[in-house]
Amino acid sequence: MRRNRTHQTYLTFIGLTGILVLCQIMSSLYPWIPTFVGVVFAYLILEFEHREVKAANIALGFVYLCFYDASKGFYLFSYVVLFILVYRFALLKIQTLITCDNCILASYVIVAYLGHYLLNCFLAYLDNETFPYFSNYYFYSIALDSLLSFMLFRVSR
């Protein structure tokens, strides 16, 4: 029996890992390059909705979000906490209020950035630390990540 070399999923997984690490490194060097955290967050929400859990891809997404938290100076595992809160309490509300499929993707990206900022402000308040800096960079990243998520993902109801 011949082995089919075109359907090797581990190669795409390794390639995706390399791209995410490269994006994180490049965004640390050049601030105008977005980190694509909103795209990863939207991907995680969509994968959990399909009930076809791809454990390696979901683990890579959470590791990337934790790596982002650690490298950018946010509270560690704050994206994991945000994902649990959004998936448990806000996901159904977002899907019932918004009818446009692309608007749902954009709302996932907005929640990823602004929810993460607000959660870190809340944690900084509890820890009696200074609040994270909010800039126009968030809106730039939201716009780029929303466009990229429109191109990559499709919402199924």
Side-chain angles (χ1 to χ4, degrees):
M1 178 187 250
R2 278 188 52 180
R3 186 172 168 184
N4 191 354
R5 294 187 184 264
T6 60
H7 298 292
Q8 295 177 349
T9 58
Y10 67 90
L11 289 178
T12 59
F13 179 74
I14 291 171
L16 183 63
T17 304
I19 289 171
L20 288 176
V21 169
L22 183 68
C23 287
Q24 185 68 30
I25 291 169
M26 294 303 290
S27 70
S28 296
L29 294 175
Y30 304 108
W32 47 270
I33 296 176
T35 55
F36 304 117
V37 172
V39 175
V40 173
F41 192 81
Y43 174 76
L44 288 174
I45 288 177
L46 293 175
E47 280 299 314
F48 266 86
E49 282 182 351
H50 284 126
R51 305 283 189 238
E52 296 175 4
V53 178
K54 298 176 183 173
N57 293 346
I58 290 174
L60 174 66
F62 282 125
V63 166
Y64 178 73
L65 293 177
C66 291
F67 183 64
Y68 172 80
D69 284 338
S71 67
K72 299 296 183 185
F74 292 109
Y75 285 96
L76 192 60
F77 302 116
S78 60
Y79 257 116
V80 176
V81 171
L82 177 69
F83 179 80
I84 292 169
L85 291 174
V86 167
Y87 192 76
R88 178 75 175 127
F89 299 114
L91 190 65
L92 187 61
K93 184 70 86 173
I94 289 172
Q95 290 176 349
T96 55
L97 288 177
I98 300 173
T99 58
C100 171
D101 290 341
N102 286 338
C103 299
I104 290 175
L105 286 173
S107 68
Y108 292 162
V109 173
I110 290 170
V111 165
Y113 279 104
L114 296 182
H116 183 251
Y117 174 76
L118 292 174
L119 181 66
N120 275 289
C121 285
F122 178 70
L123 292 174
Y125 175 74
L126 291 179
D127 201 22
N128 206 12
E129 292 288 328
T130 60
F131 291 155
Y133 180 70
F134 187 80
S135 67
N136 291 334
Y137 178 73
Y138 279 98
F139 300 114
Y140 169 72
S141 297
I142 287 171
L144 283 177
D145 284 1
S146 295
L147 289 174
L148 190 60
S149 65
F150 296 159
M151 290 187 283
L152 293 176
F153 307 128
R154 178 167 300 211
V155 176
S156 62
R157 291 184 181 243

PDB file of all heavy atoms in Angstrom, residues 3 5 22 33-35 37 46 54 58 61 65 67 79 91 95 103 108 120 122-123 139 142 146 149 151:
ATOM      1  N   ARG A   3       1.852   5.178   0.453  1.00  0.00           N
ATOM      2  CA  ARG A   3       1.549   6.227   1.409  1.00  0.00           C
ATOM      3  C   ARG A   3       1.270   7.519   0.641  1.00  0.00           C
ATOM      4  O   ARG A   3       2.050   7.923  -0.214  1.00  0.00           O
ATOM      5  CB  ARG A   3       2.739   6.406   2.336  1.00  0.00           C
ATOM      6  CG  ARG A   3       2.489   7.338   3.431  1.00  0.00           C
ATOM      7  CD  ARG A   3       3.651   7.278   4.363  1.00  0.00           C
ATOM      8  NE  ARG A   3       3.539   8.382   5.285  1.00  0.00           N
ATOM      9  CZ  ARG A   3       4.420   8.670   6.182  1.00  0.00           C
ATOM     10  NH1 ARG A   3       5.498   7.935   6.279  1.00  0.00           N
ATOM     11  NH2 ARG A   3       4.268   9.666   6.984  1.00  0.00           N
ATOM     12  N   ARG A   5       1.328  11.285   0.299  1.00  0.00           N
ATOM     13  CA  ARG A   5       2.094  12.375   0.898  1.00  0.00           C
ATOM     14  C   ARG A   5       1.387  13.725   0.818  1.00  0.00           C
ATOM     15  O   ARG A   5       1.895  14.699   1.328  1.00  0.00           O
ATOM     16  CB  ARG A   5       3.453  12.470   0.234  1.00  0.00           C
ATOM     17  CG  ARG A   5       4.311  11.265   0.506  1.00  0.00           C
ATOM     18  CD  ARG A   5       5.702  11.495  -0.045  1.00  0.00           C
ATOM     19  NE  ARG A   5       6.506  10.311   0.129  1.00  0.00           N
ATOM     20  CZ  ARG A   5       7.323  10.130   1.143  1.00  0.00           C
ATOM     21  NH1 ARG A   5       7.421  11.037   2.065  1.00  0.00           N
ATOM     22  NH2 ARG A   5       8.022   9.025   1.244  1.00  0.00           N
ATOM     23  N   LEU A  22       6.526  33.254  13.911  1.00  0.00           N
ATOM     24  CA  LEU A  22       7.112  34.318  13.107  1.00  0.00           C
ATOM     25  C   LEU A  22       6.303  35.607  13.208  1.00  0.00           C
ATOM     26  O   LEU A  22       6.880  36.699  13.319  1.00  0.00           O
ATOM     27  CB  LEU A  22       7.226  33.869  11.651  1.00  0.00           C
ATOM     28  CG  LEU A  22       7.893  34.853  10.705  1.00  0.00           C
ATOM     29  CD1 LEU A  22       9.373  34.983  11.053  1.00  0.00           C
ATOM     30  CD2 LEU A  22       7.722  34.407   9.275  1.00  0.00           C
ATOM     31  N   ILE A  33       2.819  45.677  12.549  1.00  0.00           N
ATOM     32  CA  ILE A  33       2.393  44.334  12.145  1.00  0.00           C
ATOM     33  C   ILE A  33       1.497  43.779  13.247  1.00  0.00           C
ATOM     34  O   ILE A  33       1.915  43.671  14.396  1.00  0.00           O
ATOM     35  CB  ILE A  33       3.606  43.407  11.917  1.00  0.00           C
ATOM     36  CG1 ILE A  33       4.438  43.911  10.752  1.00  0.00           C
ATOM     37  CG2 ILE A  33       3.145  41.976  11.679  1.00  0.00           C
ATOM     38  CD1 ILE A  33       5.689  43.119  10.508  1.00  0.00           C
ATOM     39  N   PRO A  34       0.247  43.438  12.922  1.00  0.00           N
ATOM     40  CA  PRO A  34      -0.649  42.931  13.971  1.00  0.00           C
ATOM     41  C   PRO A  34      -0.255  41.525  14.411  1.00  0.00           C
ATOM     42  O   PRO A  34       0.437  40.794  13.708  1.00  0.00           O
ATOM     43  CB  PRO A  34      -2.025  42.931  13.297  1.00  0.00           C
ATOM     44  CG  PRO A  34      -1.729  42.848  11.856  1.00  0.00           C
ATOM     45  CD  PRO A  34      -0.413  43.533  11.629  1.00  0.00           C
ATOM     46  N   THR A  35      -0.732  41.147  15.579  1.00  0.00           N
ATOM     47  CA  THR A  35      -0.374  39.853  16.151  1.00  0.00           C
ATOM     48  C   THR A  35      -1.355  38.750  15.775  1.00  0.00           C
ATOM     49  O   THR A  35      -1.115  37.598  16.095  1.00  0.00           O
ATOM     50  CB  THR A  35      -0.330  39.949  17.683  1.00  0.00           C
ATOM     51  OG1 THR A  35      -1.579  40.450  18.140  1.00  0.00           O
ATOM     52  CG2 THR A  35       0.792  40.836  18.131  1.00  0.00           C
ATOM     53  N   VAL A  37      -4.193  37.989  16.997  1.00  0.00           N
ATOM     54  CA  VAL A  37      -4.806  37.352  18.161  1.00  0.00           C
ATOM     55  C   VAL A  37      -6.313  37.220  17.958  1.00  0.00           C
ATOM     56  O   VAL A  37      -6.909  36.220  18.358  1.00  0.00           O
ATOM     57  CB  VAL A  37      -4.469  38.163  19.437  1.00  0.00           C
ATOM     58  CG1 VAL A  37      -5.216  37.661  20.633  1.00  0.00           C
ATOM     59  CG2 VAL A  37      -2.991  38.124  19.686  1.00  0.00           C
ATOM     60  N   LEU A  46     -14.974  29.186  16.780  1.00  0.00           N
ATOM     61  CA  LEU A  46     -15.622  28.427  15.713  1.00  0.00           C
ATOM     62  C   LEU A  46     -15.330  26.930  15.817  1.00  0.00           C
ATOM     63  O   LEU A  46     -16.201  26.106  15.519  1.00  0.00           O
ATOM     64  CB  LEU A  46     -15.182  28.960  14.351  1.00  0.00           C
ATOM     65  CG  LEU A  46     -15.661  30.371  14.023  1.00  0.00           C
ATOM     66  CD1 LEU A  46     -15.050  30.826  12.718  1.00  0.00           C
ATOM     67  CD2 LEU A  46     -17.167  30.435  13.981  1.00  0.00           C
ATOM     68  N   LYS A  54     -10.416  19.391  17.166  1.00  0.00           N
ATOM     69  CA  LYS A  54      -9.075  19.059  16.707  1.00  0.00           C
ATOM     70  C   LYS A  54      -8.137  19.499  17.820  1.00  0.00           C
ATOM     71  O   LYS A  54      -7.787  20.661  17.935  1.00  0.00           O
ATOM     72  CB  LYS A  54      -8.763  19.790  15.412  1.00  0.00           C
ATOM     73  CG  LYS A  54      -9.682  19.408  14.284  1.00  0.00           C
ATOM     74  CD  LYS A  54      -9.383  20.229  13.057  1.00  0.00           C
ATOM     75  CE  LYS A  54     -10.355  19.882  11.962  1.00  0.00           C
ATOM     76  NZ  LYS A  54     -10.208  20.765  10.817  1.00  0.00           N
ATOM     77  N   ILE A  58      -6.438  23.281  18.615  1.00  0.00           N
ATOM     78  CA  ILE A  58      -6.970  24.063  19.733  1.00  0.00           C
ATOM     79  C   ILE A  58      -5.891  24.307  20.776  1.00  0.00           C
ATOM     80  O   ILE A  58      -5.773  25.411  21.314  1.00  0.00           O
ATOM     81  CB  ILE A  58      -8.198  23.348  20.320  1.00  0.00           C
ATOM     82  CG1 ILE A  58      -9.340  23.432  19.299  1.00  0.00           C
ATOM     83  CG2 ILE A  58      -8.618  23.948  21.643  1.00  0.00           C
ATOM     84  CD1 ILE A  58     -10.557  22.660  19.663  1.00  0.00           C
ATOM     85  N   GLY A  61      -3.681  27.020  19.520  1.00  0.00           N
ATOM     86  CA  GLY A  61      -4.320  28.324  19.674  1.00  0.00           C
ATOM     87  C   GLY A  61      -4.200  28.853  21.088  1.00  0.00           C
ATOM     88  O   GLY A  61      -3.861  30.023  21.294  1.00  0.00           O
ATOM     89  N   LEU A  65      -2.069  32.129  22.426  1.00  0.00           N
ATOM     90  CA  LEU A  65      -2.665  33.213  23.204  1.00  0.00           C
ATOM     91  C   LEU A  65      -1.932  33.422  24.527  1.00  0.00           C
ATOM     92  O   LEU A  65      -1.729  34.562  24.961  1.00  0.00           O
ATOM     93  CB  LEU A  65      -4.148  32.939  23.444  1.00  0.00           C
ATOM     94  CG  LEU A  65      -5.039  32.968  22.205  1.00  0.00           C
ATOM     95  CD1 LEU A  65      -6.461  32.604  22.568  1.00  0.00           C
ATOM     96  CD2 LEU A  65      -4.974  34.303  21.512  1.00  0.00           C
ATOM     97  N   PHE A  67       1.253  32.676  25.003  1.00  0.00           N
ATOM     98  CA  PHE A  67       2.541  33.238  24.587  1.00  0.00           C
ATOM     99  C   PHE A  67       2.411  34.730  24.318  1.00  0.00           C
ATOM    100  O   PHE A  67       3.293  35.517  24.664  1.00  0.00           O
ATOM    101  CB  PHE A  67       3.057  32.495  23.354  1.00  0.00           C
ATOM    102  CG  PHE A  67       4.399  32.931  22.871  1.00  0.00           C
ATOM    103  CD1 PHE A  67       5.526  32.768  23.663  1.00  0.00           C
ATOM    104  CD2 PHE A  67       4.549  33.501  21.621  1.00  0.00           C
ATOM    105  CE1 PHE A  67       6.773  33.168  23.218  1.00  0.00           C
ATOM    106  CE2 PHE A  67       5.781  33.907  21.165  1.00  0.00           C
ATOM    107  CZ  PHE A  67       6.899  33.738  21.976  1.00  0.00           C
ATOM    108  N   TYR A  79      -6.280  35.402  28.378  1.00  0.00           N
ATOM    109  CA  TYR A  79      -7.058  35.037  27.195  1.00  0.00           C
ATOM    110  C   TYR A  79      -7.825  33.743  27.407  1.00  0.00           C
ATOM    111  O   TYR A  79      -8.930  33.581  26.886  1.00  0.00           O
ATOM    112  CB  TYR A  79      -6.165  34.902  25.956  1.00  0.00           C
ATOM    113  CG  TYR A  79      -6.263  36.093  25.049  1.00  0.00           C
ATOM    114  CD1 TYR A  79      -5.163  36.895  24.821  1.00  0.00           C
ATOM    115  CD2 TYR A  79      -7.444  36.424  24.422  1.00  0.00           C
ATOM    116  CE1 TYR A  79      -5.243  37.995  23.995  1.00  0.00           C
ATOM    117  CE2 TYR A  79      -7.545  37.510  23.597  1.00  0.00           C
ATOM    118  CZ  TYR A  79      -6.442  38.292  23.387  1.00  0.00           C
ATOM    119  OH  TYR A  79      -6.539  39.374  22.578  1.00  0.00           O
ATOM    120  N   LEU A  91     -21.618  33.950  24.126  1.00  0.00           N
ATOM    121  CA  LEU A  91     -21.625  33.459  22.752  1.00  0.00           C
ATOM    122  C   LEU A  91     -23.037  33.348  22.180  1.00  0.00           C
ATOM    123  O   LEU A  91     -23.297  33.797  21.055  1.00  0.00           O
ATOM    124  CB  LEU A  91     -20.911  32.110  22.675  1.00  0.00           C
ATOM    125  CG  LEU A  91     -20.644  31.591  21.287  1.00  0.00           C
ATOM    126  CD1 LEU A  91     -19.686  32.506  20.566  1.00  0.00           C
ATOM    127  CD2 LEU A  91     -20.078  30.204  21.352  1.00  0.00           C
ATOM    128  N   GLN A  95     -24.732  35.587  19.020  1.00  0.00           N
ATOM    129  CA  GLN A  95     -25.302  34.952  17.842  1.00  0.00           C
ATOM    130  C   GLN A  95     -26.780  35.266  17.656  1.00  0.00           C
ATOM    131  O   GLN A  95     -27.263  35.282  16.523  1.00  0.00           O
ATOM    132  CB  GLN A  95     -25.087  33.449  17.901  1.00  0.00           C
ATOM    133  CG  GLN A  95     -23.653  33.055  17.725  1.00  0.00           C
ATOM    134  CD  GLN A  95     -23.432  31.571  17.882  1.00  0.00           C
ATOM    135  OE1 GLN A  95     -24.315  30.842  18.316  1.00  0.00           O
ATOM    136  NE2 GLN A  95     -22.241  31.118  17.534  1.00  0.00           N
ATOM    137  N   CYS A 103     -20.553  40.005  10.460  1.00  0.00           N
ATOM    138  CA  CYS A 103     -20.610  40.838  11.673  1.00  0.00           C
ATOM    139  C   CYS A 103     -20.363  40.004  12.926  1.00  0.00           C
ATOM    140  O   CYS A 103     -19.803  40.501  13.897  1.00  0.00           O
ATOM    141  CB  CYS A 103     -21.958  41.540  11.760  1.00  0.00           C
ATOM    142  SG  CYS A 103     -22.284  42.649  10.385  1.00  0.00           S
ATOM    143  N   TYR A 108     -16.505  38.704  17.269  1.00  0.00           N
ATOM    144  CA  TYR A 108     -15.552  37.831  17.954  1.00  0.00           C
ATOM    145  C   TYR A 108     -14.185  38.506  18.067  1.00  0.00           C
ATOM    146  O   TYR A 108     -13.522  38.428  19.106  1.00  0.00           O
ATOM    147  CB  TYR A 108     -15.394  36.505  17.219  1.00  0.00           C
ATOM    148  CG  TYR A 108     -16.594  35.603  17.229  1.00  0.00           C
ATOM    149  CD1 TYR A 108     -16.710  34.573  16.316  1.00  0.00           C
ATOM    150  CD2 TYR A 108     -17.618  35.759  18.150  1.00  0.00           C
ATOM    151  CE1 TYR A 108     -17.801  33.725  16.307  1.00  0.00           C
ATOM    152  CE2 TYR A 108     -18.715  34.927  18.150  1.00  0.00           C
ATOM    153  CZ  TYR A 108     -18.803  33.911  17.229  1.00  0.00           C
ATOM    154  OH  TYR A 108     -19.882  33.082  17.228  1.00  0.00           O
ATOM    155  N   ASN A 120      -7.868  42.655  31.567  1.00  0.00           N
ATOM    156  CA  ASN A 120      -6.579  42.998  32.157  1.00  0.00           C
ATOM    157  C   ASN A 120      -6.670  44.260  33.001  1.00  0.00           C
ATOM    158  O   ASN A 120      -5.949  44.390  33.998  1.00  0.00           O
ATOM    159  CB  ASN A 120      -5.519  43.151  31.072  1.00  0.00           C
ATOM    160  CG  ASN A 120      -4.913  41.827  30.713  1.00  0.00           C
ATOM    161  OD1 ASN A 120      -4.173  41.248  31.490  1.00  0.00           O
ATOM    162  ND2 ASN A 120      -5.259  41.323  29.541  1.00  0.00           N
ATOM    163  N   PHE A 122      -9.320  45.019  34.763  1.00  0.00           N
ATOM    164  CA  PHE A 122      -9.949  44.519  35.983  1.00  0.00           C
ATOM    165  C   PHE A 122      -8.933  43.784  36.863  1.00  0.00           C
ATOM    166  O   PHE A 122      -8.898  43.988  38.074  1.00  0.00           O
ATOM    167  CB  PHE A 122     -11.121  43.598  35.630  1.00  0.00           C
ATOM    168  CG  PHE A 122     -11.792  42.992  36.815  1.00  0.00           C
ATOM    169  CD1 PHE A 122     -12.557  43.768  37.675  1.00  0.00           C
ATOM    170  CD2 PHE A 122     -11.656  41.638  37.093  1.00  0.00           C
ATOM    171  CE1 PHE A 122     -13.181  43.214  38.776  1.00  0.00           C
ATOM    172  CE2 PHE A 122     -12.266  41.076  38.187  1.00  0.00           C
ATOM    173  CZ  PHE A 122     -13.034  41.857  39.042  1.00  0.00           C
ATOM    174  N   LEU A 123      -8.100  42.951  36.242  1.00  0.00           N
ATOM    175  CA  LEU A 123      -7.081  42.240  37.014  1.00  0.00           C
ATOM    176  C   LEU A 123      -6.031  43.190  37.577  1.00  0.00           C
ATOM    177  O   LEU A 123      -5.533  42.988  38.692  1.00  0.00           O
ATOM    178  CB  LEU A 123      -6.426  41.163  36.146  1.00  0.00           C
ATOM    179  CG  LEU A 123      -7.321  39.989  35.756  1.00  0.00           C
ATOM    180  CD1 LEU A 123      -6.597  39.075  34.780  1.00  0.00           C
ATOM    181  CD2 LEU A 123      -7.792  39.233  36.969  1.00  0.00           C
ATOM    182  N   PHE A 139      -7.603  49.465  17.419  1.00  0.00           N
ATOM    183  CA  PHE A 139      -8.566  49.597  16.327  1.00  0.00           C
ATOM    184  C   PHE A 139      -7.961  49.170  14.996  1.00  0.00           C
ATOM    185  O   PHE A 139      -8.642  48.585  14.157  1.00  0.00           O
ATOM    186  CB  PHE A 139      -9.099  51.027  16.259  1.00  0.00           C
ATOM    187  CG  PHE A 139      -9.796  51.439  17.516  1.00  0.00           C
ATOM    188  CD1 PHE A 139      -9.283  52.432  18.330  1.00  0.00           C
ATOM    189  CD2 PHE A 139     -10.973  50.812  17.915  1.00  0.00           C
ATOM    190  CE1 PHE A 139      -9.918  52.812  19.494  1.00  0.00           C
ATOM    191  CE2 PHE A 139     -11.618  51.173  19.079  1.00  0.00           C
ATOM    192  CZ  PHE A 139     -11.092  52.178  19.867  1.00  0.00           C
ATOM    193  N   ILE A 142      -7.958  45.404  15.146  1.00  0.00           N
ATOM    194  CA  ILE A 142      -9.319  44.895  15.001  1.00  0.00           C
ATOM    195  C   ILE A 142      -9.735  44.913  13.539  1.00  0.00           C
ATOM    196  O   ILE A 142     -10.315  43.940  13.029  1.00  0.00           O
ATOM    197  CB  ILE A 142     -10.298  45.705  15.877  1.00  0.00           C
ATOM    198  CG1 ILE A 142     -10.101  45.353  17.348  1.00  0.00           C
ATOM    199  CG2 ILE A 142     -11.743  45.464  15.463  1.00  0.00           C
ATOM    200  CD1 ILE A 142     -10.858  46.246  18.302  1.00  0.00           C
ATOM    201  N   SER A 146     -10.317  41.503  11.525  1.00  0.00           N
ATOM    202  CA  SER A 146     -11.672  41.268  11.031  1.00  0.00           C
ATOM    203  C   SER A 146     -11.654  40.945   9.541  1.00  0.00           C
ATOM    204  O   SER A 146     -12.327  40.010   9.095  1.00  0.00           O
ATOM    205  CB  SER A 146     -12.551  42.490  11.283  1.00  0.00           C
ATOM    206  OG  SER A 146     -12.728  42.705  12.650  1.00  0.00           O
ATOM    207  N   SER A 149     -10.278  37.448   9.137  1.00  0.00           N
ATOM    208  CA  SER A 149     -11.232  36.412   9.552  1.00  0.00           C
ATOM    209  C   SER A 149     -12.395  36.299   8.561  1.00  0.00           C
ATOM    210  O   SER A 149     -12.949  35.217   8.393  1.00  0.00           O
ATOM    211  CB  SER A 149     -11.742  36.687  10.963  1.00  0.00           C
ATOM    212  OG  SER A 149     -12.484  37.875  11.008  1.00  0.00           O
ATOM    213  N   MET A 151     -12.011  36.523   5.386  1.00  0.00           N
ATOM    214  CA  MET A 151     -11.463  35.742   4.283  1.00  0.00           C
ATOM    215  C   MET A 151     -11.249  34.275   4.653  1.00  0.00           C
ATOM    216  O   MET A 151     -11.366  33.399   3.801  1.00  0.00           O
ATOM    217  CB  MET A 151     -10.141  36.346   3.817  1.00  0.00           C
ATOM    218  CG  MET A 151     -10.307  37.668   3.106  1.00  0.00           C
ATOM    219  SD  MET A 151      -8.791  38.272   2.407  1.00  0.00           S
ATOM    220  CE  MET A 151      -7.948  38.899   3.836  1.00  0.00           C
TER     221      MET A 151
END
